[in-house]
Each structure stands twice: as structure tokens, then as C-alpha cells.
């Protein structure tokens, strides 16, 4: 995690409620999977009343759809039911969420041009910043044109990163 992200996490740790938005291109593979992974972690820890978790896409190709069936199958094998309906990210999301988490550099660039204020820009932190360095990925690769390994890799990276995100934003005892 970058120094700047550590400072942001420290600030959010003190808050009663936290809202996070995961963002990818289509909002049918990576970001709804991140939403499902994060929700499971938060539920398991009995923290669901503290957290608002959502996802959105920079594109608008799949609005209203359930996640891609391949992602739903791979997620289900890990005990996760993905029921999100695709929506496009919008300017108001920068008011409604504390953290906006893009999956790759393209998503990040699109979010940066949408951010209405300097404070909004500060809320953007790439998912890969939370993923352990040992996994050797500095972005979450788009699985859409990949085989099963692509979906498994995304879930591995997200499970690793979301655990770290949860720890970083949980109050220190
Ligand atoms: P996602 O994957 O950004 O992880 O949801 C994609 C889904 C759909 C498309 C591209 C990426 N698409 O081009 O339709």
C-alpha cells in the first residue's frame, strides 16, 4: 500500500460506517465478484451493519444484467452467490462512497476523469494496492476473453485483496 493509502485507511478506520464501491469495465465479472467476496468477509466478521458494499462499471454494455455466468459459477464454487445487477458508475458515487476501487489502470483513468473534485480523486485506490506483493499482480486482469484460469485468478486476487482491505479499515484493538 502506498503512503497516501495508509493515511486514508487510518482516517476511515475511525468511522462508524464505511462505504466502498468496486469498479471495473463491464460490471459483470471483476467488480461484482469483488462485491461478493467483500460482503462474505464482512458478514463472517459480523460487521455488515458498518459496511455498505456495491459495484459499478465504467461501460454501459450490460446495464441491468446479472454477473457473467462463468463468474457466477466460479464464485459459487467458493460459496459466493453473485446477485448484483449491472449499473454504470456516476458522479454521485463520489458523494456516496468513501473508497472507490478500480480493478485496472483503464478503470482508474476513467474514474479520474469523472471525479468532480480533488476530494473525490482522493477516494480512488486501485484494488491491486491491497493485494499481497507476493501475488505479483499490480492490476486485476480482465477475465472476459480468458478461460477458467482467468476467473480463478481474479477470485484468488480478490480474496487476498479484500481480506487486507477489511483488516486495514477495521478499528485497531
Ligand atoms: P469486467 O469484464 O470489466 O470484469 O466486468 C468485462 C465484461 C464485459 C466486457 C469487457 C470486460 N465487454 O466488453 O462486454
Amino acid at each position: 500500500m502506498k503512503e497516501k493509502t495508509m493515511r486514508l485507511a487510518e482516517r476511515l478506520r475511525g468511522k462508524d460506517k464505511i462505504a466502498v464501491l468496486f469498479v471495473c469495465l463491464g460490471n459483470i465479472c471483476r467488480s461484482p465478484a469483488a462485491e461478493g467476496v467483500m460482503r462474505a468477509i464482512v458478514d463472517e466478521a459480523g460487521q455488515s451493519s458498518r459496511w455498505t458494499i456495491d459495484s459499478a462499471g465504467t461501460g454501459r454494455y450490460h446495464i441491468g444484467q446479472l454477473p457473467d455466468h462463468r463468474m457466477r459459477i466460479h464464485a459459487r464454487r467458493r460459496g459466493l452467490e453473485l446477485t448484483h445487477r449491472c449499473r454504470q458508475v456516476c458522479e454521485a458515487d463520489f458523494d456516496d462512497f468513501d473508497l472507490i476501487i478500480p480493478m485496472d489502470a483503464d478503470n482508474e483513468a476513467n474514474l479520474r476523469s469523472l471525479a468532480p473534485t480533488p476530494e473525490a480523486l482522493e477516494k480512488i485506490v486501485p484494488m491491486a494496492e491491497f493485494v499481497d506483493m507476493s501475488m505479483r499482480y499490480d492490476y486485476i486482469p480482465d477475465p472476459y476473453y480468458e478461460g477458467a484460469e482467468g476467473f480463478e485468478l481474479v477470485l484468488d486476487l480478490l480474496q487476498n485483496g479484500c481480506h487486507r482491505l477489511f483488516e486495514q479499515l477495521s478499528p485497531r484493538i
Side-chain angles (χ1 to χ4, degrees):
M1 259 164 62
K2 290 182 180 159
E3 190 69 35
K4 204 171 118 222
T5 310
M6 305 261 244
R7 283 198 300 274
L8 175 60
E10 196 177 318
R11 189 146 38 80
L12 294 178
R13 231 176 271 149
K15 291 190 63 183
D16 288 345
K17 300 223 177 248
I18 293 180
V20 295
L21 180 68
F22 296 100
V23 176
C24 61
L25 171 60
N27 191 215
I28 54 167
C29 295
R30 292 166 291 175
S31 61
E35 179 189 337
V37 166
M38 194 69 203
R39 186 160 292 129
I41 292 168
V42 162
D43 284 353
E44 172 130 345
Q47 293 294 312
S48 52
S49 60
R50 182 174 184 237
W51 290 74
T52 298
I53 303 162
D54 195 8
S55 67
T58 59
R60 43 177 301 114
Y61 326 102
H62 302 280
I63 291 173
Q65 294 177 13
L66 280 169
D68 185 285
H69 68 282
R70 296 164 297 173
M71 185 50 97
R72 277 190 284 144
I73 288 167
H74 285 276
R76 195 172 292 137
R77 286 189 193 154
R78 299 185 189 211
L80 306 168
E81 280 301 320
L82 304 182
T83 57
H84 176 77
R85 291 284 173 173
C86 174
R87 73 171 180 90
Q88 192 173 31
V89 67
C90 63
E91 219 181 282
D93 287 324
F94 287 94
D95 293 328
D96 296 342
F97 292 90
D98 302 301
L99 260 183
I100 303 198
I101 305 180
M103 297 294 135
D104 66 28
D106 282 345
N107 314 148
E108 183 180 357
N110 284 322
L111 285 173
R112 288 192 171 279
S113 50
L114 184 66
T117 62
E119 293 73 30
L121 276 175
E122 301 274 301
K123 296 182 174 187
I124 302 169
V125 180
M127 185 71 219
E129 272 203 47
F130 300 104
V131 175
D132 210 276
M133 296 269 271
S134 65
M135 296 197 78
R136 300 189 174 277
Y137 269 87
D138 60 4
Y139 67 106
I140 311 300
D142 185 349
Y144 196 66
Y145 296 105
E146 304 294 331
E149 335 73 61
F151 288 85
E152 287 297 311
L153 171 63
V154 166
L155 287 166
D156 286 345
L157 292 168
L158 292 175
Q159 286 187 315
N160 181 286
C162 286
H163 270 109
R164 187 113 170 284
L165 170 61
F166 179 74
E167 279 164 20
Q168 287 295 331
L169 267 59
S170 294
R172 298 282 151 90
I173 306 160

